Amino acid sequence: MTDSILSKAATMEIPINSNGDTRTAEDDSLEQGAQIGGSLDEIVGTLPVAMDLQQVMVSGPNLNETSIVSGGYGGAAEGIIPTSSIKDIRSKSRGITPSNSAASRIANQPGHYPAPSMHHSNSNPMMSEEATRGVAVEKFDSVKKWSINTYKCTKQMFSERFGRGTKTVDMELEAQIDVLRETKLKYECILRLARDLTNHFYNMVQTQQALGDTFADLSQKSPELQDEFGYNAETQRLLCKNGETLLGAINFFVSSINTLVNKTMEDTLMTIKMYENARLEFDAYRTDLEEVSVGPRDAAAMMRIEIAQQQYQVQKDKYERLRSDVTIKLKFLDENKVKVMHKQLLLFHNAISAYFAGNQQQLEQTLRQFNVKLKPPGSDKPSWLEEQ
């Protein structure tokens, strides 16, 4: 009689839902805690029903041998969750993976929906393979186009050199390009000589400064020649000062010529080089179109002629665009060259004339006229902070 009352009381402690499922919110939280491997405190906090059962069923069977029915009271055996799974959950929270864990049995239950995975699976292997194949095909096509273009241009170049091929020539533009290249060589010679003059004159100024310091020292130590040494020391110091002013003018001249030769002219020559490459490609595809047009006019030949015509038009547009760019740059280069050289040659002449004439005022006025700023003495040397 007592056993029946206890079992009835234990049965009343497990409420049955409206759909016949005896699992409560606490059981659901238990399952979720087992799936995500939560901490032991969180899992034990979700088990009030199991603790109530343990308090009521004091004289009943061992708690490890009982079961919680999940498929309704007296349901099928495949829906039973042994209470030993609590130990498995506790072992998992300590980092131990049991061989027969409750999570694996819960996952195999009918109607169980596993929690969404935190890591997304890789994309479809077929899609990845197609993407890789597309990249490979694209690279192969680019290499194929480059090879065909290189072969045609090389063939055209050898044909022109051996006199068997025709070459598109713009006589007026070619003459301007030849003048530019010859002018660049002459300006490079001027730049090299001006740099040599700067180095030699700098050494002379340094020698004059050392000589002036020596004369000044001897004028203090030789009373019988004090006046003579003093005059020479003053003269050398004046020459050294004027020499530094002239060096400023020559350095400005060298800097302007260097910019004109190695930047402005070089930029124009780079455009000319691109124009010459475009001209070679244009003649190569023009020759290819002429060779294809000579053959029979069947369907395959007409297809080849159409493709060759399209490629020829592309190369023609590129050639004409670059020829226009070269013409414009040559015009601007001539105007810039005249303007720059007019200023620099006038500066160089006035500075040299004033220095060797001994006209210090005219030399300084020349530098002010052309906005040449001299560096103060010792500005090239690092400060004592930078030396530390």
Side-chain angles (χ1 to χ4, degrees), residues 315-331:
Q315 298 299 328
K316 182 180 179 181
D317 295 340
K318 180 180 178 181
Y319 165 72
E320 292 179 350
R321 183 181 69 255
L322 287 173
R323 181 177 62 180
S324 177
D325 293 344
V326 170
T327 303
I328 294 173
K329 284 197 172 185
L330 285 174
K331 181 180 179 181

Side-chain angles (χ1 to χ4, degrees), residues 90-153:
R90 294 177 178 175
S91 300
K92 187 175 182 180
S93 65
R94 296 188 181 94
I96 303 173
T97 305
S99 59
N100 189 16
S101 63
S104 60
R105 289 194 295 272
I106 293 173
N108 294 326
Q109 293 183 21
H112 172 72
Y113 297 96
S117 177
M118 299 300 293
H119 300 282
H120 296 284
S121 60
N122 295 330
S123 58
N124 193 351
M126 294 298 295
M127 296 177 62
S128 177
E129 184 178 355
E130 290 179 359
T132 305
R133 186 181 303 151
V135 173
V137 170
E138 183 178 355
K139 290 184 178 180
F140 176 77
D141 291 340
S142 62
V143 172
K144 181 180 178 181
K145 292 179 181 178
W146 176 84
S147 302
I148 294 174
N149 183 72
T150 304
Y151 168 74
K152 291 182 179 181
C153 293

Side-chain angles (χ1 to χ4, degrees), residues 68-71 76-81 109-110:
I68 300 174
V69 180
S70 62
E78 61 180 1
I80 297 175
I81 304 175
Q109 293 183 21

Side-chain angles (χ1 to χ4, degrees), residues 292-351:
V292 172
S293 301
V294 173
R297 298 300 182 90
D298 54 358
M302 293 301 297
M303 181 64 67
R304 288 196 298 270
I305 292 174
E306 184 179 357
I307 296 175
Q309 182 68 33
Q310 294 176 357
Q311 295 175 347
Y312 165 77
Q313 189 63 38
V314 171
Q315 298 299 328
K316 182 180 179 181
D317 295 340
K318 180 180 178 181
Y319 165 72
E320 292 179 350
R321 183 181 69 255
L322 287 173
R323 181 177 62 180
S324 177
D325 293 344
V326 170
T327 303
I328 294 173
K329 284 197 172 185
L330 285 174
K331 181 180 179 181
F332 287 157
L333 177 61
D334 288 338
E335 295 177 357
N336 189 26
K337 179 187 67 176
V338 172
K339 185 184 299 184
V340 170
M341 292 308 299
H342 175 76
K343 177 181 178 180
Q344 296 303 319
L345 291 174
L346 188 60
L347 167 67
F348 189 81
H349 174 268
N350 293 342

